[in-house]
Amino acid sequence: MKYYSVEFRLSPCNEAYCDVLFAEIAALGFESYEYNQEGIVGYIPCNNFNGDELNKILSEFPVENVDIKYEVNSAPDENWNALWEQEGFQPIHIDNLICVHDTRTAAQDVKYDITINPCQAFGTGSHQTTRMLLKILSEMDLTNKKVIDAGTGTGILSIMCFMKGASDILAYDIDEWSVRNAINNAQINGAENIEVREGDCNVLKPEDKAHLLIANINRNILIADMEKFADALLPHGLLLLSGFYVDDIPLLEKRAGQLGMKLTETRNSEEWAMVLFETDTTCRMDV
């Protein structure tokens, strides 16, 4: 498959801004990226590239006062996924309780040992948002609970829910590659009760109801999809969100309040945030 390499130059530039940028452009079909001194280089199949859509996303970049310029070039003919798999990733430990590692690393002596082959899908556990979500999931009693994992990526959060005793887990992702990867990772961990669908929140059917819905996605998508999330939650269900900054919490709380959900907990890791809402249908507004 032919690829474009798109070099993004950010001013100012730091790793957090680069992570936000890739979270935004991943929905366009960008499959992987690497850092450089000025920003990131993203790789996308040529037939997925749409300059108008990319310009629109950059014009609506959720971090203020960041200037982004880009240059598109033809990438060398290489098997990007084979390169990714060859490099792998170092095991990720969270509070001596959780370990995330690939299939080339031996099982770890921790309570929750998660094995994944990331294959370019987002979510190895290295990012602050994924780590926060794994940590809070490890503290929940999900025995016989129904869970929805929106934007599943590698399926890592679904696998954690399986290890916590969830009975039914529905995961979905807009990216075909991520869907295949999540299915494979579920099989590696023996999580046969994880169903993975391809698409956005519209893949949720009226009968798809959950005690817990998790989404680690950027702020704009979370706000746009929150009504679907609220409709998919059972009474007193929980909505667990990350993928945004601490400064974004008031916007998310306002939208959640309109949909009959109350904020029960917040956590942060540096500037990245996580929130937990609980449904309270008695206060839902018609919006």
Side-chain angles (χ1 to χ4, degrees):
M1 183 181 296
K2 299 291 185 181
Y3 279 76
Y4 286 135
S5 64
V6 184
E7 183 175 356
F8 295 91
R9 296 183 294 276
L10 286 71
S11 179
C13 177
N14 62 41
E15 185 173 335
Y17 295 166
C18 291
D19 287 343
V20 174
L21 175 59
F22 186 72
E24 293 283 328
I25 65 175
L28 300 181
F30 281 83
E31 294 182 353
S32 63
Y33 71 103
E34 57 188 0
Y35 296 105
N36 61 27
Q37 291 184 339
E38 297 183 291
I40 64 173
V41 179
Y43 297 95
I44 182 171
C46 294
N47 58 3
N48 286 355
F49 182 79
N50 186 310
D52 291 338
E53 291 183 359
L54 178 57
N55 291 332
K56 183 175 186 297
I57 281 182
L58 296 181
S59 70
E60 299 172 352
F61 192 63
V63 183
E64 295 181 356
N65 301 318
V66 177
D67 180 62
I68 304 175
K69 293 181 172 59
Y70 69 90
E71 179 180 333
V72 182
N73 296 291
S74 295
D77 289 336
E78 297 185 68
N79 186 334
W80 298 104
N81 188 57
L83 291 175
W84 177 274
E85 290 177 329
Q86 181 179 350
E87 293 177 1
F89 67 96
Q90 293 298 312
I92 296 155
H93 295 269
I94 303 173
D95 293 347
N96 295 316
L97 181 70
I98 305 165
C99 181
V100 184
H101 59 90
D102 61 27
T103 52
R104 291 170 296 181
T105 305
Q108 306 293 294
D109 186 19
V110 292
K111 188 172 184 179
Y112 304 107
D113 184 315
I114 300 174
T115 305
I116 63 170
N117 281 328
C119 297
Q120 298 180 348
F122 178 78
T124 61
S126 60
H127 196 271
Q128 292 98 317
T129 58
T130 310
R131 294 170 69 94
M132 282 191 290
L133 291 172
L134 287 171
K135 181 64 166 62
I136 194 171
L137 288 172
S138 73
E139 300 165 4
M140 292 182 172
D141 181 6
L142 298 180
T143 305
N144 296 323
K145 301 296 185 183
K146 296 181 178 181
V147 176
I148 294 173
D149 179 11
T152 190
T154 60
I156 187 173
L157 300 178
S158 290
I159 293 166
M160 186 67 194
C161 292
F162 160 75
M163 292 182 174
K164 292 295 298 182
S167 58
D168 296 280
I169 304 166
L170 169 60
Y172 68 84
D173 201 290
I174 196 170
D175 179 59
E176 179 186 358
W177 193 288
S178 294
V179 170
R180 295 200 303 268
N181 188 225
I183 292 171
N184 178 249
N185 288 329
Q187 293 170 344
I188 290 172
N189 290 272
E192 298 179 356
N193 61 341
I194 298 177
E195 176 189 354
V196 188
R197 298 177 188 169
E198 181 181 347
D200 59 15
C201 65
N202 291 306
V203 302
L204 295 175
K205 303 173 184 177
E207 61 268 27
D208 294 325
K209 301 296 182 183
H211 299 93
L212 170 68
L213 191 150
I214 316 161
N216 187 15
I217 314 175
N218 72 71
R219 180 198 69 186
N220 293 342
I221 294 178
L222 291 174
I223 291 174
D225 291 356
M226 202 175 294
E227 185 169 6
K228 277 278 191 179
F229 294 165
D231 289 341
L233 285 171
L234 294 164
H236 303 292
L238 299 176
L239 179 63
L240 181 60
L241 305 178
S242 194
F244 49 87
Y245 290 123
V246 172
D247 291 344
D248 296 323
I249 293 177
L251 290 173
L252 293 162
E253 184 177 9
K254 178 180 178 181
R255 181 58 176 151
Q258 293 172 335
L259 295 167
M261 293 182 283
K262 56 186 179 182
L263 182 65
T264 61
E265 186 174 350
T266 66
R267 297 185 186 183
N268 71 283
S269 177
E270 299 176 344
E271 70 271 33
W272 294 100
M274 183 211 75
V275 293
L276 183 66
F277 296 106
E278 182 177 353
T279 56
D280 182 3
T281 54
T282 61
C283 66
R284 179 161 179 170
M285 300 168 56
D286 292 325
V287 292

